[in-house]
Amino acid sequence: MINAILLDLGGPIFNEDAEYARWTEILLSELGKHGTHVDGEDFQKILAEELKRCDPNPWLSTLWRFVRPDLAKFQRILEVFRAQSQAFQGSLPGVKIRPEAFVAIPQLAEGYVLALAANQPPRALVLLKEAGLLRYFCWREVSDTMGVAKPSSLFFRMILDGIGVKPEKAVMVGDRLDHDIFPAKLLGMRTVRVLVGPYRHQTPPTPGHAPHLSILSVSDLVGVLKTLG
């Protein structure tokens, strides 16, 4: 019987299309500044390939495809990319809470212990609090406040220890096969993949990356969790 839900934010709860679009914009701009002019459609095509094969850093893998084997150019662009991405994390402009989360989270909290399980900056907690949703979670920490990030197994073990629930009594809900599904399954947790955002294109590279269930929206969780035992 499932007692607890570890819930990812980016994808299932947050619509991060603005952030992903910003990443692409930065890389295309920097490529052009460094003499490599790339068409947006060509960039998106390569990015889709990197996402599909479950690359852990698909945007950076896409960048390398366009600059290889020039390591110096890659590093110069990477430095700008990381600096601007870090600045974005401070306020998360354009990142919105999905409408269905406002209904699903209170419903889920009635029957399960809820825990955040997200690679996010502290600003994410502010967004949840302002929306009135943070109070439904028993574990209210994210990677930046924990000091550990996914896909480390320690990340998940810290959360499970914090809420006092064994892995076999918990389900991990996320959008990424590599960061959410695979490490959670290694610990013995049940897993649910939410098919939203760019990571919905990931293809399981091994059986261990395949989720127990896949859903289209976090609102579907209420009806499917009982099937996990």
Side-chain angles (χ1 to χ4, degrees):
M1 180 178 180
I2 300 298
N3 296 328
I5 302 171
L6 276 64
L7 190 57
D8 187 19
L9 289 176
I13 303 302
F14 289 168
N15 182 329
E16 297 180 315
D17 289 350
E19 183 170 10
Y20 297 133
R22 179 57 180 155
W23 289 354
T24 298
E25 179 185 345
I26 293 169
L27 292 177
L28 286 173
S29 175
E30 290 303 311
L31 281 166
K33 290 178 182 178
H34 289 82
T36 303
H37 298 281
V38 178
D39 180 78
E41 290 187 6
D42 291 338
F43 186 93
Q44 291 296 336
K45 180 180 178 180
I46 299 300
L47 177 60
E49 293 176 2
E50 299 298 333
L51 282 162
K52 185 176 181 180
R53 70 185 187 89
C54 215
D55 188 281
N57 295 292
W59 272 263
L60 298 187
S61 293
T62 301
L63 169 62
W64 179 250
R65 293 273 293 270
F66 286 109
V67 302
R68 63 185 180 188
D70 193 335
L71 178 60
K73 180 183 290 188
F74 177 83
Q75 291 175 330
R76 289 194 297 270
I77 296 176
L78 177 59
E79 183 178 0
V80 174
F81 177 76
R82 285 179 171 168
Q84 294 197 30
S85 295
Q86 185 174 3
F88 187 99
Q89 295 290 306
S91 58
L92 299 179
V95 173
K96 305 293 184 182
I97 296 177
R98 296 187 185 277
E100 57 267 30
F102 290 94
V103 176
I105 289 176
Q107 288 182 339
L108 292 169
E110 292 179 0
Y112 302 92
V113 174
L114 299 188
L116 297 177
N119 284 353
Q120 292 285 342
R123 174 61 182 167
L125 299 174
V126 176
L127 293 180
L128 287 175
K129 185 175 182 179
E130 291 176 345
L133 296 177
L134 187 62
R135 62 192 177 95
Y136 292 104
F137 291 86
C138 295
W139 180 266
R140 302 173 183 176
E141 305 290 340
V142 289
S143 59
D144 278 15
T145 62
M146 292 169 62
V148 181
K150 297 182 289 188
S152 170
S153 63
L154 177 58
F155 176 88
F156 296 93
R157 288 190 284 117
M158 288 172 68
I159 297 172
L160 292 170
D161 289 341
I163 61 176
V165 175
K166 295 182 179 180
E168 59 270 23
K169 298 292 185 180
V171 58
M172 174 62 203
V173 180
D175 64 326
R176 291 188 61 162
L177 300 179
D178 52 345
H179 278 195
D180 301 314
I181 305 306
F182 182 70
K185 288 183 71 176
L186 284 179
L187 288 176
M189 297 172 62
R190 302 290 188 181
T191 57
V192 176
R193 180 188 188 188
V194 186
L195 298 170
V196 293
Y199 291 100
R200 70 185 184 278
H201 299 298
Q202 286 184 322
T203 300
T206 72
H209 288 79
H212 291 93
L213 289 174
S214 293
I215 58 178
L216 298 177
S217 166
V218 71
S219 61
D220 297 332
L221 267 179
V222 178
V224 304
L225 284 178
K226 292 182 179 179
T227 66
L228 291 174

